[in-house]
Each structure stands twice: as structure tokens, then as C-alpha cells.
Amino acid sequence: MRKILLAAALGLIATAAHAADGLYVGAGVGKSNLDNLFGSGFSLDSNNASWKAIVGFRPIDWFAIEANYMDFGSDRRNFGLGTASANAKAFGAYGVAFLPIPFFDVFAKAGLTRWQLDGNMAGGGQIFAFNDHGTEFAYGGGSQVNFGAFAARFEYDAFGVRHTDGLSMYTVAAIWTFL
């Protein structure tokens, strides 16, 4: 009986020791910053939570292809005689390289992100509205703790956004692998 229990325990540990390969989905919340819009000093600093949705395919332990939808939130500020508001979102496609360690992965990712930035600045009887979008090189990295088909992930994403000092996002996410 002890041998059966020991074999079962070792089997569970081996299953949890590395991330499951296959199709995965996930969601995360975090904090994002989009700095210095149009050189105005106005920054989209998500006081409210930013969030992301994740879909990926990990065919082998050390590589995955991943798509992310990221909502960076919105912000509104008063500047003396006027107000400024903005919101941003993006869709990214990445290649992800993993360094699998038992129970733990460290990863780096690189790809392209299609971003959209909307907003306006109003004051002194004038309104300046913008709706800008573009595609930029994106990169990131992080780590995740694996529990068989489930993983908890901490990651960083960054890319350039035209007419700003760039965008960055920190996220805590939950991942579920199936198939």
C-alpha cells in the first residue's frame, strides 16, 4: 500500500513539476503607464486596473506562440483651464521562449503589437481630439509558477506608441492549459 501511495505522490509531483504543453487561455490584471502624450506632460497612468486576455499554444516545453488583448484603461485630468482624457488598448502576437525549471518557468517574448490610442484635450475654448493607431515591435518577459494544467504568471510588456514616451504594463495572470 505504501508503494502505491508513494508512486501516486511522485506522479503528482512530476505532473506539477513542469507546465503542461498544449493550448492555453488566461486572464490577468495589472498596472500600465503610457507617458507624455503628444509632448504635453499628460500621462495615461491606469489608476484603475488594466487587464489582458491571453491565448496561446505551447507545443514543446521551451516555446509557445501567444496572442494578447490588452486594455490599458482610461484617465481624465484637469489642467487649470482645461481637461485631458485618453484611453488605450492593443492586440499583440508573440513568440515566447521558456526556460523550464521544475515548478517554475522564466520566459521572454517578442512580437508585434497593434495599438490604438484615443483621447482629447479641451481648454480655453479649443478642443484637440486624437485617434491614433499603429503597429510596433513589442517585447516582454516574466515568470510563472506551474501547478500541472494551471499556472500563476507575473509578466512585463512594453512597446512604443507614436507621440508618447512609450507604454509599459505589469500583469499578474492565471493560465489554464488544456488539449
Side-chain angles (χ1 to χ4, degrees), residues 97-156:
F98 291 91
L99 176 60
I101 302 168
F103 301 102
F104 191 73
D105 288 332
V106 176
F107 64 91
K109 62 185 192 176
L112 294 175
T113 296
R114 179 78 175 161
W115 56 267
Q116 181 173 347
L117 174 63
D118 300 311
N120 64 60
M121 295 177 193
Q126 296 182 1
I127 296 177
F128 171 68
F130 55 90
N131 180 339
D132 200 6
H133 54 83
T135 303
E136 300 289 334
F137 172 75
Y139 60 93
S143 61
Q144 69 182 33
V145 179
N146 303 309
F147 306 98
F150 294 95
R153 178 186 277 193
F154 175 76
E155 70 181 303
Y156 171 79

Side-chain angles (χ1 to χ4, degrees), residues 35-123:
D35 297 324
N36 199 21
L37 276 70
F38 290 91
S40 66
F42 176 71
S43 295
L44 177 59
D45 184 6
S46 64
N47 296 320
N48 298 323
S50 299
W51 61 273
K52 78 170 16 179
I54 303 164
V55 175
F57 178 63
R58 188 171 179 175
I60 54 179
D61 287 345
W62 55 270
F63 181 75
I65 297 169
E66 186 173 287
N68 296 171
Y69 173 81
M70 298 167 275
D71 187 318
F72 303 108
S74 60
D75 202 3
R76 178 178 207 90
R77 298 229 179 97
N78 291 322
F79 291 106
L81 300 175
T83 61
S85 65
N87 66 61
K89 55 188 163 221
F91 175 81
Y94 302 93
V96 185
F98 291 91
L99 176 60
I101 302 168
F103 301 102
F104 191 73
D105 288 332
V106 176
F107 64 91
K109 62 185 192 176
L112 294 175
T113 296
R114 179 78 175 161
W115 56 267
Q116 181 173 347
L117 174 63
D118 300 311
N120 64 60
M121 295 177 193

